[in-house]
């Protein structure tokens, strides 16, 4: 069953049309999900550095494993492929920001603009995680540029 992320204009996570507010109330797990959903294929080491960068490597790895265990317990196994050191989001994870980027790349500004409800993760953050905040800022800047591009393209139609 599809796990859907609305990241433009805030953060909402739903599965099968049902909103999952409990996940958003667990900021570290929500951040992990959003990061994996956006990046699609990363190493455990990179994720540990982004979300648990302030912890020693062994504690960061334990925290990642614990978070993955709890997410699998809550969501099942169909959303992630965790083989060895690689973590890959499956096609059951969909993200409005990725769809927005795809629509802009395909030259469909009207469809892209319909998806854009505001800045990436607007009003949502993960406290005391500068690496995650830097990543969020980079994504926000990239999407803001694409939003401007889509608006300009729409004006020239």
């Amino acid at each position: 069953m599809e796990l859907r992320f609305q990241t433009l204009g805030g953060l909402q996570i739903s599965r099968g049309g049902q909103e999952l507010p409990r996940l958003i109330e667990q900021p570290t797990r929500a951040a992990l999900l959003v990061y994996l959903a956006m990046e699609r294929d990363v190493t455990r080491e990179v994720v540990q550095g982004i979300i648990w960068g302030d912890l020693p490597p062994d504690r960061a790895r334990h925290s990642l494993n614990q978070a993955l265990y709890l997410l699998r317990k809550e969501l099942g196994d169909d959303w992630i492929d965790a083989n060895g050191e690689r973590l890959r989001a499956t096609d059951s994870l969909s993200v409005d920001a990725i769809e927005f980027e795809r629509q802009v790349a395909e030259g469909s500004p009207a469809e892209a603009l319909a998806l854009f409800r505001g800045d990436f993760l607007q009003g949502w953050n993960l406290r005391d995680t500068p690496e995650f905040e830097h990543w969020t800022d980079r994504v926000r800047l990239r999407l803001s540029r694409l939003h401007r591009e889509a608006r300009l393209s729409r004006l020239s139609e």
Side-chain angles (χ1 to χ4, degrees):
M1 189 176 299
E2 181 182 61
L3 193 57
R4 177 96 179 121
F5 294 80
Q6 181 183 324
T7 60
L8 298 172
L11 178 60
Q12 290 182 338
I13 304 172
S14 60
R15 182 165 217 165
Q18 279 293 103
E19 196 171 330
L20 302 173
R22 281 190 45 220
L23 283 177
I24 296 172
E25 294 166 3
Q26 303 163 10
T28 303
R29 285 185 230 150
L32 174 60
L33 277 170
V34 168
Y35 185 78
L36 290 172
M38 286 295 293
E39 296 298 324
R40 308 306 289 181
D41 185 352
V42 294
T43 65
R44 289 176 184 267
E45 184 178 357
V46 167
V47 174
Q48 290 165 203
I50 292 287
I51 298 179
W52 294 280
D54 61 330
L55 296 178
D58 59 328
R59 287 195 52 218
R61 186 166 188 92
H62 176 75
S63 295
L64 171 60
N65 289 338
Q66 186 68 20
L68 289 171
Y69 169 79
L70 293 170
L71 286 168
R72 282 182 166 144
K73 191 174 176 182
E74 187 168 347
L75 300 172
D77 287 329
D78 62 334
W79 61 275
I80 190 167
D81 179 17
N83 279 328
E85 290 302 306
R86 299 225 60 95
L87 300 173
R88 292 179 183 89
T90 68
D91 290 339
S92 70
L93 291 182
S94 68
V95 186
D96 60 349
I98 292 173
E99 179 64 16
F100 169 78
E101 289 178 298
R102 188 177 68 76
Q103 293 292 345
V104 172
E106 291 178 356
S108 302
E111 290 82 356
L113 291 171
L115 292 168
F116 199 87
R117 296 176 189 93
D119 287 334
F120 180 71
L121 297 181
Q122 183 176 326
W124 192 89
N125 63 24
L126 185 60
R127 292 184 187 178
D128 301 323
T129 55
E131 294 85 359
F132 184 79
E133 290 305 313
H134 292 309
W135 172 78
T136 301
D137 289 341
R138 286 190 306 273
V139 173
R140 191 174 290 139
L141 181 60
R142 182 179 77 230
L143 295 173
S144 177
R145 287 180 181 148
L146 288 175
H147 182 242
R148 185 173 33 255
E149 179 184 319
R151 285 190 343 253
L152 290 171
S153 181
R154 184 80 171 131
L155 286 173
S156 66
E157 286 183 340

